[in-house]
Amino acid sequence: MLDIANISLDIIVLLLRVAVVLLLYFFLWQVLRFVIRDLRAGSRTAGEGSRSPYGQLTVVRPGQSGVTPGKIYPLGPSTIIGRSMEHCEIALNDSFLSQQHARLELRGDEWVLEDLHSTNGTFLNDVEVRDVAIVEDGDVIRFGRVEMRLER
């Protein structure tokens, strides 16, 4: 005679085993995704020895981002700075940074700094940037707790 209690218990055990295997594969997929993203970020920063034709940002004070002072980030014609590895050209690990914190853009022959509605603000030479501000060579920009100097 069929024992329905044993059959349903076997089905539950089987479903739990399948769920554990699926969770394991999901965990491995997340780890692989993180490693690939980290390797891509490393390859972007590997070419830092060469100067960008647009200029660069040099870290003056790293705050709590873990970046070493003097680290150089080459600039493009439009560079977004923030915490997001996927949406920013310069991604910094600082809890005071927004996902997309600020944009540094070359317009003609001038660098223009724009705060992208960040929570903690963007500062140019210790003055908060509310609209857009023109950045000169040697100016210090603070994103969150990280201070960087623009160099052409």
Side-chain angles (χ1 to χ4, degrees), residues 50-150:
S50 60
R51 287 186 60 97
S52 169
Y54 300 104
Q56 62 192 22
L57 285 175
T58 304
V59 176
V60 177
R61 289 193 186 133
Q64 295 178 353
S65 66
V67 177
T68 56
K71 182 173 175 84
I72 295 172
Y73 291 95
L75 294 171
S78 179
T79 304
I80 296 178
I81 298 100
R83 254 186 317 153
S84 173
M85 294 285 290
E86 290 130 10
H87 300 103
C88 297
E89 287 77 22
I90 299 176
L92 301 167
N93 186 18
D94 186 342
S95 60
F96 276 67
L97 280 172
S98 299
Q99 290 294 321
Q100 293 182 342
H101 195 90
R103 176 183 298 119
L104 194 57
E105 187 173 31
L106 186 61
R107 294 184 186 165
D109 198 28
E110 292 181 325
W111 281 104
V112 176
L113 178 64
E114 176 184 8
D115 182 74
L116 300 176
H117 308 292
S118 64
T119 305
N120 294 313
T122 303
F123 294 83
L124 175 63
N125 297 323
D126 291 325
V127 176
E128 187 172 7
V129 175
R130 297 198 183 271
D131 293 322
V132 294
I134 295 174
V135 184
E136 301 290 332
D137 188 29
D139 283 349
V140 175
I141 307 167
R142 188 171 78 226
F143 311 100
R145 290 179 272 188
V146 179
E147 289 185 8
M148 303 175 108
R149 181 176 41 253
L150 176 71

